[in-house]
Amino acid sequence: MNEFVLTLSGWVTHYLTHSAVVLIALGAAGWLGDRLLRRVGPGARHRLWIAALLAGVVLPLVPAGWLSGMRHPDTGAAAGTVTVTYRMIAAAAERWTISPTLDVAIGAGYLLTVLFCLAQLLWRWRRTSAMARRSMAPMLNARAVRLLDEAARLAGIQVPTMRCSAEIHGPVVLGWLRPLLIVPEGFFDVKDEDIAAALAHECAHLARRDFAKNLLYEFAAVAVAYHPVRWMIRRKIAETRELVCDEMAAAASEGRAEYAASLLRLAKAMAAPASVSSHAIGVFDGDILEERIMRLTMDVPKMSRMQKITMTAVATCALLGGAWTAMAVPLDVTPQAAAQEKIYKIGGDVKPPVLIHSVDAEFSKKAKDAKFQGVAVVSCIVDTDGMPQHVRTKRKLGMGLDEKAIEAVQQYRFQPSTLHGKPVAVAITIEVNFRLY
């Protein structure tokens, strides 16, 4: 099988297995941090979930075991089976193998999933753009102009371009460089305070540039589209985004209770579902109207600045702890020599491998403090490339020295064993001496 295809599929399998662990850890840490930040405010919760999403996409690219100082195996080694290793420590590895064909199938399935999600994003973008093109410039009277100008002024933005469309049932915003506010037909037929509340919310989205940010998060999340935690994190980002805009809109309105009442009246008047699947961001996104109303109408206990800083620091530590755990306990994917390949014993026509590179094993702190010495016996298979594989402790020494012996042997390099001049894989044992001088 083509070496490039095997290398690429090995990298993809590594990313999949690593991201599976990383996202679970970040999802759990994010949930804990979200609970801690409920009294701090939706802004802190929103930033936490954004950090969780971006970390879940980026961290699986880091070599497995990087934070724990373990060596990252060569993912482009050789054709054969692919060994997937769940490492707690170097000496305690649970391994299982998959065939190269299955590895390539997994990689192809992942890439097809990514392409499908990208195509779906592009389709939604085209639908959004088409809806914007079909919208019409509304005939604004003095009352409508006054309400729009006031909402933009309170949000600290320029007055956005307004359009009207029969394809939506609530106001939405979109656009990268030229923000566009699209309202449904009959939008200005409701009460002034309700119009002001909706416009304040949409102007808050414009002030935060939520349309552009949302597209960025959508594209980033494509890399982990297969993972259920990704859907939960995206939902949390959308929910907290709406809560943040509610806080901004309520501050610009006559009061939190009045703004909540306007939301309820708007929800009743615009209850019909939208007929277009798009990237546009509207006042009723997130599907958490009940939570939004409760937060606006309930008396939330005030927190001091120091309390907010403390809770934010604890939540940040929870997220970092989840990321650290996931990076220190990765799922590692390593192509190995073929499982069908015969393992020879040295002797007769089978020439022994020649050690061409070695490293000194380091003492563990525990053994050094106790002045403990001895010999650890390690077994391994030297493959046809001269790489030590399946390194195991054959005779344990204890005091953390067995793990140090394995770490050293994993870095050995050999001139492969030969049989009639052809490289073959052989099983060998190595004694690693630990002596204090």
Side-chain angles (χ1 to χ4, degrees):
M1 196 174 290
N2 185 277
E3 184 177 350
F4 171 76
V5 173
L6 287 172
T7 302
L8 178 62
S9 62
W11 182 89
V12 169
T13 307
H14 163 78
Y15 186 84
L16 284 173
T17 53
H18 199 184
S19 62
V21 177
V22 169
L23 279 170
I24 291 173
L26 289 174
W31 179 85
L32 176 60
D34 185 83
R35 303 293 295 182
L36 292 171
L37 293 175
R38 283 188 176 275
R39 289 180 57 195
V40 176
R45 295 168 60 194
H46 186 62
R47 289 187 290 271
L48 177 78
W49 286 115
I50 291 173
L53 174 64
L54 298 180
V57 172
V58 174
L59 288 182
L61 297 172
V62 179
W66 177 69
L67 290 180
S68 58
M70 292 186 285
R71 182 179 66 87
H72 178 54
D74 179 14
T75 57
T81 61
V82 176
T83 299
V84 183
T85 307
Y86 188 83
R87 296 175 181 267
M88 291 295 291
I89 56 175
E94 294 296 333
R95 298 169 180 255
W96 67 95
T97 59
I98 58 177
S99 69
T101 302
L102 180 57
D103 186 41
V104 171
I106 292 173
Y110 171 76
L111 293 177
L112 286 174
T113 301
V114 169
L115 289 175
F116 173 78
C117 290
L118 288 174
Q120 193 176 43
L121 286 177
L122 180 60
W123 176 78
R124 291 173 61 188
W125 170 260
R126 290 174 63 88
R127 292 290 299 270
T128 304
S129 300
M131 179 191 69
R133 288 193 300 270
R134 288 191 296 267
S135 63
M136 300 175 295
M139 298 295 293
L140 299 180
N141 55 28
R143 166 176 167 264
V145 171
R146 174 178 57 80
L147 291 171
L148 181 58
D149 289 347
E150 182 67 9
R153 183 186 66 79
L154 292 173
I157 61 173
Q158 292 183 348
V159 178
T161 301
M162 179 178 285
R163 307 281 289 182
C164 181
S165 173
E167 299 178 49
I168 59 174
H169 297 275
V172 297
V173 295
L174 51 90
W176 283 86
L177 301 177
R178 293 184 297 176
L180 186 64
L181 171 61
I182 304 179
V183 298
E185 292 181 345
F187 174 69
F188 289 99
D189 294 341
V190 297
K191 295 181 178 180
D192 283 8
E193 54 265 34
D194 297 347
I195 296 173
L199 292 177
H201 187 95
E202 297 308 310
C203 285
H205 281 305
L206 292 174
R208 288 170 37 82
R209 299 184 182 275
D210 279 333
F211 179 81
K213 292 178 181 177
N214 186 61
L215 275 182
L216 173 64
Y217 304 148
E218 290 281 353
F219 276 104
V222 165
V224 288
Y226 75 96
H227 207 295
V229 173
R230 172 254 196 183
W231 299 96
M232 183 268 287
I233 293 177
R234 283 183 58 226
R235 180 177 177 83
K236 289 295 184 181
I237 290 175
E239 290 176 357
T240 52
R241 179 189 68 216
E242 295 308 309
L243 292 174
V244 170
C245 289
D246 279 344
E247 294 288 330
M248 296 173 64
S253 301
E254 297 180 358
R256 297 173 67 88
E258 290 76 7
Y259 175 75
S262 292
L263 278 185
L264 285 175
R265 287 192 294 269
L266 287 169
K268 184 177 180 180
M270 305 174 183
S275 59
V276 176
S277 176
S278 71
H279 291 292
I281 297 176
V283 68
F284 296 119
D285 284 359
D287 297 326
I288 53 165
L289 182 61
E290 183 179 355
E291 180 182 345
R292 292 166 63 185
I293 297 300
M294 289 179 62
R295 182 170 183 85
L296 288 165
T297 55
M298 288 176 59
D299 291 329
V300 180
K302 298 294 184 181
M303 297 183 70
S304 66
R305 180 179 176 83
M306 184 55 64
Q307 286 177 316
K308 290 183 178 181
I309 293 174
T310 301
M311 296 303 291
T312 302
V314 172
T316 302
C317 288
L319 188 64
L320 291 175
W324 184 275
T325 301
M327 293 302 296
V329 188
L331 275 166
D332 192 22
V333 181
T334 309
Q336 303 285 356
Q340 306 93 315
E341 186 176 41
K342 184 176 179 180
I343 308 300
Y344 291 84
K345 291 184 179 181
I346 298 172
D349 294 330
V350 180
K351 305 301 181 183
V354 178
L355 183 64
I356 58 177
H357 172 74
S358 64
V359 298
D360 293 331
E362 298 179 355
F363 270 80
S364 65
K365 186 177 185 304
K366 186 177 180 181
K368 186 180 291 185
D369 292 343
K371 297 184 178 180
F372 183 78
Q373 305 181 93
V375 178
V377 179
V378 174
S379 67
C380 70
I381 296 171
V382 179
D383 65 17
T384 53
D385 293 321
M387 301 284 290
Q389 308 289 357
H390 304 289
V391 183
R392 297 285 188 275
T393 302
K394 188 171 183 180
R395 188 176 69 206
K396 293 192 174 183
L397 185 59
M399 301 288 285
L401 296 179
D402 300 304
E403 291 82 358
K404 294 296 183 181
I406 289 175
E407 289 178 7
V409 172
Q410 285 176 330
Q411 299 177 66
Y412 284 15
R413 297 295 180 268
F414 297 86
Q415 181 179 323
S417 178
T418 59
L419 174 62
H420 304 307
K422 294 183 177 180
V424 293
V426 294
I428 65 171
T429 58
I430 301 172
E431 292 185 349
V432 182
N433 290 288
F434 292 90
R435 291 286 182 267
L436 291 170
Y437 298 99

